[in-house]
């Protein structure tokens, strides 16, 4: 090849690349003009609005978004590098976005979860999501949840016993790690059919540590556009730590799945049922139901099963731990509410220390209202995202197809139109017969702690029953007093809204 031809080819390649870049730039400029009609914080070329997070510690990142929410109610836009993200807290806009199967695909931010969760129910979309949702829905049937109540109750007893040494000491206890281990034990036994013993074993549980490390790194990567590329990210120390956490998480679930499959093959599980201590038949764990679907109809591959189990383990222990912990925090701040909850439990159990049955849990109407009010003020998932599948109008603002939209649950739950005096903790908001709130306007998408629409949380009934069981166990045995004010407990919002430095409480044994 002559140097003349080579020069021509290089010149042609440069022209092609330059032409494509110009077209991309012009298209992006046109898109930017549309998006920037939506109000939002200052942004700059290439880096967008990420300058607002420079030198902001983990404990304060959530409050940057909180301030934007207060400055731009209903809707605002943020640029993450050159990628636009629209935050929405108007229930009418939210209903348009999640009230149907139209905008069902999650935003690309969830792609950072793929290494761990794969295309499980949280991250999948389209036909795969519909198929898996249909397969998994029966595993949350009332009759199956009923069989889990004994596990909830047993783990609540373990939790109560673990807290004994800290009662009546006059010394504050960070209760969050204890709740986290309790929910991990609960989800491991109900999801996988094995006892992890996180509450009574090694307190520095490898799985819990890996989840928290992954969450922190996930959050940092999301606000660092230069780390979007896997090639760049996994060449950094952060990327290697990220991969290490994923390896730990996958090893945990893969090992248990393999052991469970071997047990089924060796007929340790008889006809897909097992007996409890009284000899009664009961359904097996979530994992067994997935394995059964695989064995009978070949509906799920081994990888599918691992991804769904990983998803259920993540969503079923981390979010629930946050929900229970925040509820205990609010109970510790509101002695009158706590006493009312205790009186309800006393009427149900009549001084007995027996485990809570499904009937008991369904009778805990006031405790349920307490939990709902806690979920309103501290939703474990304060933001979740979708990608618009077609052009959409949100009020007067045009949102083009392919735009990433975040549902701002935290600020949505503080809309004074639907929640008067929104910062007040008042479980009576959720009382059907409340005279105080009977005139307050209602909207089906004004309160969505478990999301809403066709893609709502499949495990919300499971979560509510588990929360009632563990909370009732603690309340029946201890009086709780929070030693921190609400403003002193910072929210660390990574994947889940956790208390950054824990929740400090005093425990007093009930007589």
């Amino acid at each position: 090849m002559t140097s003349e031809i080579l020069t021509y080819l290089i010149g042609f390649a440069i022209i092609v690349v330059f032409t494509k870049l110009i077209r991309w730039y012009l298209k992006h400029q046109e898109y930017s003009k549309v998006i920037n009609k939506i109000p939002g914080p200052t942004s700059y070329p290439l880096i967008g609005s990420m300058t607002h997070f420079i030198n902001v510690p983990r404990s304060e990142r959530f409050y940057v978004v909180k301030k934007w929410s207060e400055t731009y109610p209903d809707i605002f836009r943020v640029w993450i590098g050159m990628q636009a993200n629209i935050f929405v807290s108007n229930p009418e806009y939210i209903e348009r976005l999640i009230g149907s199967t139209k905008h069902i695909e999650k935003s690309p931010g969830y792609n950072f979860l793929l290494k761990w969760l794969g295309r499980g129910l949280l991250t999948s979309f389209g036909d795969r999501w519909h198929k898996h949702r249909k397969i998994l829905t029966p595993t949350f049937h009332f009759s199956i949840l009923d069989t889990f109540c004994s596990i909830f109750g047993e783990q609540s007893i373990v939790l109560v016993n673990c807290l004994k040494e800290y009662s009546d000491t006059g010394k504050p206890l960070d209760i969050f790690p204890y709740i986290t281990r309790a929910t991990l034990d609960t989800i491991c036994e109900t999801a996988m059919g094995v006892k992890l013993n996180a509450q009574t074993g090694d307190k520095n549980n490898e799985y819990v540590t890996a989840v928290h490390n992954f969450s922190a790194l996930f959050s940092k990567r999301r606000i660092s556009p230069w780390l979007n590329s896997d090639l760049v990210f996994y060449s950094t120390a952060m990327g290697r730590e990220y991969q290490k956490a994923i390896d730990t998480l996958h090893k945990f679930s893969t090992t248990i799945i393999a052991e469970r499959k071997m047990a089924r093959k060796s007929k340790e599980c008889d006809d897909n049922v097992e007996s409890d201590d009284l000899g009664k038949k009961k359904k097996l764990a979530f994992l067994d139901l997935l394995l059964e679907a695989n064995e009978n109809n070949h509906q799920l591959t081994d990888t599918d099963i691992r991804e769904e189990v990983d998803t259920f383990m993540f969503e079923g222990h981390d979010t629930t731990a946050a929900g229970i912990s925040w509820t205990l925090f609010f109970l510790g701040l509101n002695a009158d509410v706590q006493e009312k909850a205790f009186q309800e439990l006393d009427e149900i159990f009549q001084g007995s220390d027996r485990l809570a049955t499904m009937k008991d849990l369904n009778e805990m109407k006031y405790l349920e209202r307490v939990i709902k009010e806690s979920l309103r003020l501290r939703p474990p998932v304060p933001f979740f995202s979708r990608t618009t599948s077609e052009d959409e109008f949100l009020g007067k603002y045009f949102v083009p197809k392919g735009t990433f939209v975040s549902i701002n649950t935290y600020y949505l739950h503080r809309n004074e139109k639907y929640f008067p005096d929104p910062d007040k903790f008042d479980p009576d908001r959720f009382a059907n017969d409340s005279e105080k709130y009977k005139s307050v306007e209602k909207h089906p998408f004004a309160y969505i702690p478990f999301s809403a629409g066709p893609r709502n949380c499949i495990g919300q009934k499971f979560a509510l029953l588990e929360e009632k069981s563990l909370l009732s166990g603690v309340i029946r045995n201890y009086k709780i007093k929070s030693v921190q004010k609400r403003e002193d407990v910072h929210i660390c919002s990574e994947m889940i809204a956790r208390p950054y430095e824990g929740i400090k409480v005093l425990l007093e044994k009930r007589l």
Side-chain angles (χ1 to χ4, degrees):
M1 182 181 294
T2 66
S3 59
E4 238 179 62
I5 294 175
L6 182 61
T7 301
Y8 173 79
L9 290 174
I10 292 173
F12 180 74
I14 291 172
I15 291 170
V16 169
V17 171
F18 184 73
T19 301
K20 286 188 175 183
L21 284 173
I22 289 293
R23 286 177 179 171
W24 174 86
Y25 177 77
L26 292 174
K27 188 176 180 180
H28 182 75
Q29 286 295 97
E30 185 180 338
Y31 177 77
S32 298
K33 285 179 182 178
V34 173
I35 294 298
N36 285 331
K37 289 180 180 179
I38 301 171
T42 307
S43 63
Y44 301 93
L46 299 179
I47 57 174
S49 311
M50 295 301 97
T51 53
H52 296 272
F53 291 98
I54 293 175
N55 295 324
V56 176
R58 283 177 62 199
S59 59
E60 298 295 329
R61 289 174 194 161
F62 171 81
Y63 297 93
V64 174
V65 182
K66 181 176 180 288
K67 185 178 178 181
W68 290 340
S69 302
E70 293 165 350
T71 306
Y72 311 104
D74 288 351
I75 186 171
F76 64 91
R77 55 101 187 105
V78 174
W79 286 95
I80 302 174
M82 300 186 74
Q83 177 180 296
N85 194 351
I86 313 300
F87 282 78
V88 177
S89 56
N90 182 309
E92 293 178 5
Y93 300 171
I94 291 171
E95 183 173 15
R96 290 187 65 84
L97 291 165
I98 67 173
S100 71
T101 56
K102 188 165 58 173
H103 307 297
I104 208 162
E105 184 177 348
K106 296 294 182 77
S107 72
Y110 286 82
N111 289 342
F112 297 152
L113 291 171
L114 294 181
K115 275 260 188 174
W116 176 19
L117 304 182
R119 287 296 179 187
L121 208 56
L122 178 66
T123 54
S124 60
F125 57 91
D127 290 342
R128 180 184 176 87
W129 177 83
H130 282 285
K131 175 189 172 185
H132 283 217
R133 178 85 181 202
K134 186 176 180 181
I135 294 170
L136 296 174
T137 296
T139 65
F140 293 94
H141 188 272
F142 175 84
S143 61
I144 294 175
L145 294 178
D146 189 28
T147 67
F148 291 154
C149 285
S150 60
I151 296 173
F152 297 158
E154 288 161 7
Q155 294 301 337
S156 74
I157 289 176
V158 177
L159 173 62
V160 167
N161 289 335
C162 287
L163 297 175
K164 270 184 184 176
E165 64 179 291
Y166 302 101
S167 66
D168 302 309
T169 63
K171 295 180 180 179
L173 163 74
D174 177 9
I175 203 166
F176 184 66
Y178 292 85
I179 301 299
T180 299
R181 288 191 286 269
T183 59
L184 181 56
D185 273 345
T186 302
I187 198 65
C188 195
E189 191 167 356
T190 54
M192 294 194 176
V194 297
K195 290 183 181 291
L196 184 63
N197 298 321
Q199 295 192 80
T200 54
D202 182 8
K203 297 300 183 286
N204 297 313
N205 184 275
E206 189 179 33
Y207 184 87
V208 175
T209 301
V211 170
H212 287 182
N213 288 346
F214 181 93
S215 299
L217 295 168
F218 169 85
S219 176
K220 192 168 183 180
R221 188 183 184 189
R222 285 193 72 182
I223 62 172
S224 307
W226 53 92
L227 296 176
N228 281 1
S229 165
D230 282 348
L231 185 64
V232 173
F233 180 66
Y234 288 105
S235 66
T236 66
M238 189 196 306
R240 290 188 289 274
E241 191 67 23
Y242 197 76
Q243 185 61 54
K244 181 181 176 182
I246 292 168
D247 290 343
T248 299
L249 296 167
H250 279 172
K251 180 183 176 183
F252 178 84
S253 55
T254 301
T255 299
I256 291 175
I257 291 170
E259 290 173 352
R260 202 67 177 172
K261 288 181 75 174
M262 286 182 66
R264 291 174 67 84
K265 284 182 180 179
S266 62
K267 299 191 182 299
E268 287 181 24
C269 300
D270 181 25
D271 293 329
N272 295 327
V273 295
E274 60 181 4
S275 298
D276 62 17
D277 294 337
L278 299 176
K280 295 192 304 184
K281 296 289 187 179
K282 66 177 182 178
K283 278 282 185 179
L284 293 183
F286 175 74
L287 170 57
D288 288 288
L289 298 167
L290 297 184
L291 289 170
E292 189 175 317
N294 189 29
E295 292 161 357
N296 294 344
N297 304 309
H298 303 291
Q299 294 174 294
L300 300 170
T301 66
D302 286 353
T303 300
D304 291 339
I305 291 171
R306 195 209 72 211
E307 290 174 350
E308 296 301 353
V309 167
D310 280 342
T311 298
F312 194 45
M313 287 292 294
F314 160 61
E315 293 201 277
H317 108 266
D318 220 15
T319 54
T320 310
I324 293 171
S325 299
W326 287 119
T327 302
L328 287 170
F329 174 64
F330 284 115
L331 285 170
L333 289 176
N334 298 273
D336 57 331
V337 173
Q338 185 178 163
E339 182 58 26
K340 195 170 178 180
F342 173 73
Q343 290 301 327
E344 177 184 68
L345 295 172
D346 200 38
E347 288 177 15
I348 293 171
F349 293 97
Q350 298 290 311
S352 168
D353 61 357
R354 63 180 174 79
L355 298 182
T357 64
M358 177 68 85
K359 182 176 180 293
D360 296 329
L361 296 177
N362 287 332
E363 288 180 4
M364 297 177 191
K365 304 297 185 184
Y366 186 72
L367 182 57
E368 182 171 323
R369 298 205 295 269
V370 171
I371 294 169
K372 286 182 175 180
E373 178 68 344
S374 176
L375 291 172
R376 183 184 71 83
L377 286 168
R378 291 289 187 274
V381 183
F383 314 104
F384 62 92
S385 303
R386 298 285 175 85
T387 299
T388 53
S389 60
E390 57 186 62
D391 293 344
E392 188 67 80
F393 272 96
L394 300 178
K396 64 181 180 180
Y397 299 110
F398 175 64
V399 179
K401 175 182 177 180
T403 300
F404 314 139
V405 183
S406 289
I407 310 303
N408 190 345
T409 312
Y410 183 89
Y411 199 69
L412 166 71
H413 288 178
R414 283 162 173 73
N415 191 320
E416 291 189 66
K417 184 177 180 181
Y418 308 101
F419 303 104
D421 196 4
D423 287 324
K424 181 181 179 182
F425 183 83
D426 188 357
D428 287 343
R429 296 180 197 276
F430 296 95
N432 294 329
D433 58 351
S434 172
E435 286 293 318
K436 184 177 178 182
Y437 295 106
K438 69 177 182 180
S439 62
V440 175
E441 189 172 340
K442 304 289 192 299
H443 193 289
F445 287 79
Y447 177 75
I448 53 170
F450 295 102
S451 186
R455 193 153 192 170
N456 66 345
C457 175
I458 195 173
Q460 59 183 286
K461 290 181 181 178
F462 175 99
L464 193 55
L465 291 170
E466 181 187 358
E467 290 194 27
K468 282 184 180 181
S469 188
L470 291 177
L471 283 166
S472 64
V474 175
I475 297 167
R476 286 163 67 188
N477 287 275
Y478 302 107
K479 290 181 181 178
I480 307 114
K481 182 179 180 181
S482 297
V483 300
Q484 301 152 295
K485 296 179 181 178
R486 200 190 294 189
E487 59 269 23
D488 294 332
V489 182
H490 282 210
I491 299 170
C492 180
S493 178
E494 291 168 340
M495 290 191 294
I496 302 299
R498 297 189 186 90
Y500 180 65
E501 294 179 327
I503 288 175
K504 312 292 195 305
V505 299
L506 294 171
L507 297 176
E508 181 182 331
K509 191 80 174 73
R510 291 190 186 273
L511 300 178

